[in-house]
Amino acid sequence: MNIFTDNAGFYPTKPETIKKMLGKLKRRPKFMLEPSAGKGDIPKFIEQYNEQWHYSRGDMDSRLSSALSIKKIHVIEKDPNLQRILLADKMILVDTDFLTFAGDNKYDAILMNPPFADGDKHLLKAIDIIYNGEIVCLLNAETIRNPYSTSRQYLVEKLESLGAEIEYLEGEFSDAERKTDIDIALIYINIENDIKSILFDGSEDKASVYETGHINENELVEHGTVSDLVARFRLTIESGVKTIMEFYKNHTVLKDYLSLSIANGATTSKPEKLTERVTSEVNEFIDSVRKDFWMSTLNLKEVQERMTEKKRNEFTSELEQRAQMDFTERNIMTFIMNLMNSYKDIVSEAAVQLFDDITKSYAWDANIHEKNRLYWDKWKTNDVFKVGPKVIIPFHSSAFVDSYSNGWRSWLDHSIVRKFDDIDKVMDYFSAGTKTTKLSDVISDGLRSNFTSGLESTHFTVKIHKKGTVHLQFKSNETLASFNRSASMSKNWLPPSYGKTSFDEMSQDDKDIVKAFEGEKSYSKFFKGGSQIMARGKSFLQIAE
């Protein structure tokens, strides 16, 4: 990877230039956005300076006093290679394209070194999304000096109307990490709004009667697809922010009559304190909603079918970082496509885990797992085995007495439901995407109806024993063979030639192992059909329809 040859518009910001940018700040910003982060030079500089200063309490560069107040930094970057660098450095990546960024959070400062080619569009976007804060931007000086396009002309007019400060720097990048002799415009914009300017915009002294209007069911967004989720997210954000603003607009009148958590400490007579209070409430609300909606992506049918319990837990533990990404169709689809691209690895990992659970893991009854093994001849010094055509799985259930029939009914613990669902995910993959009659549903229905034998899911015939075990008989020998192959290959129990060489071309030792494992006929059929078994089924892209 060459971050320069692969990205012609990427010019990293050198430390001395970052100091000049920070020196422009006149306030004490706490929440910053870097919308063209590159490999993170600006946020890294700020974070490292803060750490060094707080550790040593040494002399402070007067230009950097504002940097010490910055407590949280969001970044945006379009280049996938640079995104990986940012994430590896634990940066909070909130989007991948600033020009389409919704900008719900309220930032105190935006420091930016956008691509020189369309820096005008990036700066106009920054002006559009910041409500009360400062912008420091590096632009190609020609963007200002030669406003030949409509966008550049509009930017020049906008900068003039905002009273922007423009300083021209000659040769600023001539000794930078990536060199260029073009002149740079260092632009500072201070946008000041107190919350009252929008709280009471258009308000009248005369009180009016509040009309609820009619709720149109067609306006309610249903659950299900990516577009639905994004629409619901936008509606929730807009409604919530509006509610917060309305509350603060009326809190002086209502605070004695309404008990709302948002009201704690709300009363203040100072506009700057009220602005800070409302900004904080809005950002906390947006973060909370965004986290919930990112979590809701796990409920999409196509994600559930491919996300194992382990991966779901990993996603949940990483949600703090994931939840900072803007909740847009593009970002959701990127997440889903990444899941799709890694699906083979996810299933391979799940297959090995399931193999271990069935045959030897502590998670299963020690008296049962030996019955699930079929031993075959040793390879080198390993005691090797595979899963047999019939396996016994211990399970846990909760039971209660039906007072009407004096019978018993039961339902599965949620943890064992997830375990059975993971079994289905693995077997779906190795059976090339057959539509699943869920194993957990079959067992749950059998327990509730008191039918415990003669049950069938897509991949198994099922018999339930009330002592707490379920007997599963594989319906497809090919599915079982594929499962055993995947686990055994992952454990290096099969020779390197397995799946790459025909049986006749194998060494005698390798032939002996293959014969013991599955037999010449089964292997030849596998080799002829190709060593990769891929799942078929609906494309992930269909969920957006």
Side-chain angles (χ1 to χ4, degrees):
M1 178 184 71
N2 189 313
I3 57 177
F4 294 138
T5 58
D6 294 345
N7 189 334
F10 172 48
Y11 287 86
T13 316
K14 65 180 184 179
E16 191 58 37
T17 304
I18 297 173
K19 291 181 182 180
K20 292 178 182 178
M21 297 176 74
L22 290 168
K24 293 291 183 180
L25 296 173
K26 298 178 174 61
R27 304 199 225 171
R28 304 283 291 176
K30 297 179 181 178
F31 192 8
M32 188 193 107
L33 173 69
E34 216 293 38
S36 307
K39 56 185 174 65
D41 293 275
I42 294 176
K44 284 179 191 174
F45 179 92
I46 294 171
E47 292 176 353
Q48 290 169 2
Y49 179 80
N50 285 346
E51 289 177 5
Q52 292 170 1
W53 188 85
H54 285 291
Y55 178 75
S56 64
R57 296 287 176 175
D59 295 334
M60 180 175 64
D61 189 324
S62 60
R63 295 176 296 177
L64 304 180
S65 59
S66 294
L68 296 176
S69 66
I70 297 173
K71 304 302 181 186
K72 188 175 185 179
I73 302 175
H74 283 177
V75 298
I76 298 172
E77 176 51 50
K78 196 169 187 177
D79 188 321
N81 293 327
L82 296 173
Q83 290 171 21
R84 285 192 282 271
I85 295 174
L86 295 170
L87 293 173
D89 288 329
K90 307 301 182 184
M91 297 288 175
I92 302 175
L93 184 71
V94 296
D95 211 327
T96 56
D97 189 346
F98 180 52
L99 295 181
T100 60
F101 178 54
D104 293 311
N105 285 107
K106 308 303 177 187
Y107 297 102
D108 302 311
I110 298 178
L111 269 65
M112 57 194 299
N113 176 13
F116 290 153
D118 56 357
D120 52 335
K121 297 182 180 65
H122 284 252
L123 182 51
L124 285 169
K125 174 73 174 185
I127 294 170
D128 182 57
I129 70 169
I130 200 163
Y131 172 71
N132 185 49
E134 301 170 278
I135 301 172
V136 183
C137 177
L138 298 177
L139 285 186
N140 182 343
E142 287 300 299
T143 304
I144 308 300
R145 290 172 173 168
N146 182 24
Y148 61 83
S149 68
T150 302
S151 177
R152 287 188 175 188
Q153 291 168 10
Y154 178 65
L155 175 62
V156 171
E157 294 174 2
K158 192 73 174 176
L159 293 176
E160 184 176 351
S161 68
L162 292 171
E165 301 174 10
I166 304 176
E167 178 184 355
Y168 292 100
L169 308 175
E170 296 182 359
E172 190 68 19
F173 281 81
S174 60
D175 60 346
E177 185 178 357
R178 188 179 193 181
K179 298 176 176 57
T180 180
D181 292 328
I182 64 173
D183 292 344
I184 300 298
L186 176 57
I187 301 172
Y188 170 78
I189 308 169
N190 183 32
I191 298 177
E192 292 185 348
N193 286 302
D194 67 71
I195 204 68
K196 289 183 178 179
S197 66
I198 57 172
L199 282 181
F200 299 101
D201 183 36
S203 62
E204 300 177 357
D205 292 335
K206 182 180 179 181
S208 59
V209 178
Y210 182 74
E211 298 288 346
T212 59
H214 298 284
I215 298 177
N216 185 348
E217 290 186 0
N218 293 328
E219 293 177 355
L220 300 179
V221 183
E222 296 180 356
H223 299 253
T225 67
V226 171
S227 57
D228 288 341
L229 281 174
V230 172
R232 289 179 55 232
F233 172 76
R234 299 271 17 123
L235 179 63
T236 304
I237 291 294
E238 291 167 7
S239 300
V241 171
K242 182 179 179 181
T243 300
I244 293 172
M245 303 302 283
E246 285 293 322
F247 169 77
Y248 277 100
K249 180 176 179 178
N250 298 294
H251 79 278
T252 55
V253 176
L254 300 176
K255 62 184 177 62
D256 294 330
Y257 306 101
L258 294 179
S259 177
L260 301 175
S261 60
I262 198 173
N264 295 333
T267 304
T268 177
S269 59
K270 296 181 179 181
E272 64 274 12
K273 292 294 184 182
L274 183 59
T275 299
E276 183 177 331
R277 176 74 184 180
V278 176
T279 299
S280 176
E281 293 286 0
V282 168
N283 283 331
E284 288 178 12
F285 166 74
I286 290 170
D287 285 347
S288 177
V289 173
R290 189 188 293 120
K291 178 186 288 189
D292 283 348
F293 272 84
W294 269 114
M295 195 65 193
S296 71
T297 61
L298 299 184
N299 296 324
L300 290 167
K301 178 175 179 290
E302 288 75 7
V303 174
Q304 284 185 323
E305 289 177 349
R306 291 164 173 81
M307 177 93 65
T308 61
E309 182 64 16
K310 180 179 180 182
K311 289 298 175 184
R312 187 183 183 94
N313 291 336
E314 289 177 4
F315 178 92
T316 302
S317 67
E318 295 172 1
L319 193 60
E320 286 299 329
Q321 182 175 7
R322 170 68 60 183
Q324 301 297 336
M325 288 290 290
D326 200 15
F327 197 76
T328 62
E329 289 191 38
R330 184 187 68 253
N331 286 342
I332 296 169
M333 292 309 297
T334 298
F335 158 62
I336 293 173
M337 292 304 294
N338 288 339
L339 177 62
M340 181 180 73
N341 291 335
S342 62
Y343 181 50
K344 182 180 178 182
D345 293 334
I346 292 173
V347 173
S348 295
E349 180 184 32
V352 173
Q353 183 63 55
L354 177 59
F355 184 91
D356 288 344
D357 284 347
I358 292 174
T359 59
K360 67 184 182 67
S361 174
Y362 66 88
W364 307 89
D365 189 310
N367 294 321
I368 291 176
H369 67 239
E370 281 293 336
K371 298 178 182 179
N372 294 333
R373 297 180 180 182
L374 290 182
Y375 285 91
W376 44 290
D377 292 348
K378 295 180 180 180
W379 179 47
K380 296 183 179 178
T381 59
N382 292 326
D383 287 326
V384 293
F385 47 85
K386 58 184 179 179
V387 172
K390 181 179 179 180
V391 295
I392 305 171
I393 307 292
F395 71 94
H396 306 286
S397 67
S398 300
F400 64 92
V401 174
D402 184 337
S403 59
Y404 293 99
S405 64
N406 294 320
W408 72 280
R409 294 183 183 178
S410 171
W411 63 95
L412 295 176
D413 287 342
H414 189 55
S415 61
I416 199 66
V417 168
R418 294 195 297 266
K419 178 67 71 174
F420 284 135
D421 287 348
D422 279 357
I423 293 175
D424 277 335
K425 290 183 179 75
V426 171
M427 298 311 158
D428 281 348
Y429 182 83
F430 291 120
S431 63
T434 304
K435 185 175 178 60
T436 297
T437 301
K438 291 178 64 176
L439 180 59
S440 59
D441 288 345
V442 169
I443 296 172
S444 295
D445 290 345
L447 290 171
R448 281 193 293 268
S449 61
N450 211 19
F451 287 105
T452 56
S453 63
L455 306 174
E456 289 193 21
S457 70
T458 295
H459 305 296
F460 304 97
T461 56
V462 182
K463 185 174 183 180
I464 305 168
H465 291 258
K466 294 178 182 178
K467 64 181 180 181
T469 61
V470 58
H471 293 222
L472 305 178
Q473 178 82 38
F474 280 86
K475 294 169 71 174
S476 168
N477 291 331
E478 291 184 2
T479 299
L480 173 60
S482 297
F483 170 56
N484 278 320
R485 286 188 192 109
S486 177
S488 296
M489 291 174 74
S490 295
K491 292 176 174 296
N492 294 319
W493 286 354
L494 294 170
S497 62
Y498 190 92
K500 301 175 183 178
T501 305
S502 69
F503 184 83
D504 291 340
E505 294 173 338
M506 285 182 169
S507 67
Q508 188 58 49
D509 286 343
D510 289 357
K511 287 181 179 179
D512 291 341
I513 294 171
V514 168
K515 286 180 180 178
F517 175 61
E518 63 179 317
E520 178 182 352
K521 184 177 180 180
S522 175
Y523 175 78
S524 296
K525 182 179 180 181
F526 163 68
F527 180 75
K528 183 178 180 181
S531 59
Q532 288 188 339
I533 300 176
M534 301 300 294
R536 295 190 297 270
K538 287 187 176 180
S539 165
F540 274 107
L541 297 177
Q542 290 177 334
I543 67 175
E545 296 177 354

